[in-house]
Amino acid sequence: MEAPVYTQIENLKVTVFQAYLFWENIEKNLLNLALRLSMGVREKTDIIILPEMFNTGFSMNSEALAEEMGGKTMQWMQKMAYQYNCVVTGSLIIKENNQYFNRLIWMEPDGKSQHYDKRHLFGMGDEDQHFSPGKEKLIVELKGWKIRLAICYDLRFPVWLRNVGQEYDILLLVANWPDKRSAHWKALIPARAIENQSYVIAVNRVGHDGNQIYHSGLSMCLDPYGNTVYYKPEDEDLYTFSINYEELVKIRRQFPFLKDADKFTIEPH
């Protein structure tokens, strides 16, 4: 594999919103999130990251809560992206072709969007009984950074998230990860950062959901060496930080082990 050619790329300003979510209440969530953003976003940012199913909580009530593409929540995301002149991303329940998807929307300020459908559906929570799995990975670009999108349970599947040929610089994961498995969360995120030589930004929710499952947040950003850039347990948090591309380049040059990675293909489900 040829060594990648690096160009000068700006630092990326990232805003994470570790939010409390109101159970199955789209209107209340959108109003609350907009209010909190208006009070909390104090500086120019490049991206605002919301949790998994940020408008409903992690509900299996897909038929009642699903929206079409371009529906109310996507219109809200477009409005927020335009207002803050940045990308807004988070997942919601989408109905398309009589199927339901846990879909991560990448909404740009000009209203253009891309999406990633969650590939690994959480069978222990019956997600596979109510949703269809995604088939395709998605890598988006922002200010020269290449960003791989993922959702919650995907974190447990390193082959799916493998940084083949250094194709991404950031692994961005949104989640509703319960506190009772927080030890796994805290182990797997550093593993993904180190093995893929990428930043990992993982945004979780806080509080109890409608099934009385408690979420302790623990949203974090780790650099490619596994060092902590941002970490927040327990409390709702809206926070902006910066990540450095030169640091990524430095680590990859010092430890160029990705060039020795095994080659493989992933078969469709």
Side-chain angles (χ1 to χ4, degrees):
M1 184 179 75
E2 291 184 11
V5 177
Y6 293 106
T7 56
Q8 190 67 33
I9 291 176
E10 292 179 54
N11 289 356
L12 198 68
K13 279 262 185 104
V14 178
T15 299
V16 298
F17 193 173
Q18 177 169 281
Y20 177 84
L21 304 178
F22 298 94
W23 186 246
E24 297 185 347
N25 193 329
I26 294 173
E27 197 71 39
K28 194 169 184 179
N29 280 311
L30 297 185
L31 283 169
N32 181 61
L33 292 167
L35 178 63
R36 295 301 306 277
L37 288 171
S38 71
M39 295 189 299
V41 179
R42 297 297 187 195
E43 56 186 300
K44 178 67 177 78
T45 187
D46 296 309
I47 181 170
I48 295 170
I49 308 170
L50 306 172
E52 177 184 21
M53 291 195 191
F54 66 87
N55 64 338
T56 60
F58 188 63
S59 171
M60 298 301 101
N61 195 4
S62 53
E63 290 187 27
L65 297 171
E67 299 182 22
E68 304 279 342
M69 288 293 281
K72 176 195 294 185
T73 300
M74 281 191 68
Q75 290 175 30
W76 178 90
M77 293 180 78
Q78 184 176 346
K79 180 181 177 183
M80 294 297 107
Y82 178 79
Q83 181 176 332
Y84 295 101
N85 191 27
C86 71
V87 169
V88 175
T89 190
S91 91
L92 61 148
I93 303 170
I94 291 288
K95 182 180 182 181
E96 190 172 76
N97 299 324
N98 290 316
Q99 292 180 292
Y100 298 95
F101 298 95
N102 184 348
R103 179 166 289 181
L104 181 54
I105 304 293
W106 179 266
M107 180 64 71
E108 299 177 18
D110 62 3
K112 293 178 183 174
S113 68
Q114 300 180 67
H115 65 264
Y116 162 73
D117 293 330
K118 189 177 184 180
R119 176 175 171 89
H120 298 94
L121 301 177
F122 186 55
M124 285 174 59
D126 291 334
E127 190 179 14
D128 57 336
Q129 304 300 310
H130 299 273
F131 293 86
S132 297
K135 302 275 195 291
E136 305 292 334
K137 68 181 179 183
L138 178 64
I139 296 172
V140 295
E141 189 166 320
L142 182 60
K143 291 177 69 175
W145 293 77
K146 292 180 170 56
I147 304 171
R148 173 75 187 270
L149 302 184
I151 304 175
C152 204
Y153 195 42
D154 286 331
L155 181 62
R156 291 187 180 273
F157 301 94
V159 174
W160 175 241
L161 299 178
R162 189 66 173 160
N163 194 3
V164 180
Q166 295 185 20
E167 62 188 352
Y168 67 81
D169 307 311
I170 301 168
L171 174 62
L172 189 160
L173 181 106
V174 301
N176 271 216
W177 195 284
D179 177 67
K180 59 187 172 185
R181 289 187 290 280
S182 61
H184 301 183
W185 172 264
K186 289 186 280 189
L188 293 172
I189 292 171
R192 298 297 87 86
I194 294 164
E195 72 195 5
N196 291 304
Q197 288 198 315
S198 76
Y199 285 93
V200 176
I201 303 170
V203 179
N204 196 19
R205 65 158 295 175
V206 290
H208 289 88
D209 68 14
N211 297 314
Q212 291 307 301
I213 294 171
Y214 179 64
H215 303 77
S216 54
L218 306 168
S219 297
M220 66 181 84
C221 174
L222 300 185
D223 74 11
Y225 206 63
N227 297 316
T228 302
V229 177
Y230 165 80
Y231 176 70
K232 184 66 175 180
E234 302 297 339
D235 301 319
E236 189 172 63
D237 195 39
L238 179 62
Y239 188 76
T240 300
F241 55 86
S242 195
I243 56 174
N244 185 285
Y245 194 79
E246 288 183 9
E247 187 66 22
L248 172 75
V249 172
K250 178 182 170 186
I251 291 169
R252 287 177 173 174
R253 281 182 174 155
Q254 283 180 334
F255 306 101
F257 61 76
L258 280 183
K259 68 182 178 61
D260 300 321
D262 300 304
K263 291 180 170 57
F264 61 89
T265 57
I266 296 177
E267 296 183 358
H269 281 180

